[in-house]
């Protein structure tokens, strides 16, 4: 993958980050390849941090602590922070 290749070419003090939207971690049917669950499996060890986007998500709401961290609502209910961490 590009990320794995970048890691092999970059200096050790250079960081690699990705900025996916939260629903890509939930692995809904709309992502038959697995979305970022698959990306993380394939090259997550070479990603220094994810800057997950929790905005502009249509009907999925991250409007309060519960919706952002515990249990999001809307079209992608498994995309709250604690659910992503536990995948």
């Amino acid at each position: 993958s590009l990320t794995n290749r970048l890691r092999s070419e970059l200096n050790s003090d250079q960081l690699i980050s990705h900025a996916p939207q939260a629903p890509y971690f939930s692995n809904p049917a709309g992502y038959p390849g697995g979305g970022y669950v698959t990306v993380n499996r394939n090259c997550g060890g070479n990603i220094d941090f994810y800057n997950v986007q929790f905005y502009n998500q249509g009907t999925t709401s991250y409007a309060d602590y519960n919706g952002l961290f515990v249990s999001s609502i809307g079209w992608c209910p498994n995309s709250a922070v604690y659910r992503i961490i536990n995948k």
Side-chain angles (χ1 to χ4, degrees):
S1 74
L2 175 62
T3 298
N4 292 333
R5 179 67 188 265
L6 280 172
R7 177 55 65 211
S8 70
E9 300 289 331
L10 293 173
N11 296 327
S12 62
D13 63 338
Q14 294 175 302
L15 301 175
I16 296 175
S17 67
H18 286 209
Q21 293 177 331
Y24 290 124
F25 280 103
S26 67
N27 203 12
Y31 310 115
Y36 256 81
V37 172
T38 301
V39 171
N40 189 60
R41 185 180 321 113
N42 292 340
C43 63
N46 287 323
I47 299 170
D48 294 296
F49 66 93
Y50 290 104
N51 188 16
V52 181
Q53 300 176 55
F54 289 99
Y55 55 89
N56 296 334
Q57 302 299 314
T59 60
T60 297
S61 176
Y62 306 109
D64 57 21
Y65 175 87
N66 191 58
L68 176 61
F69 288 95
V70 181
S71 182
S72 57
I73 60 171
W75 70 275
C76 199
N78 293 316
S79 60
V81 172
Y82 296 142
R83 292 187 185 229
I84 291 172
I85 290 171
N86 291 318
K87 287 197 182 277

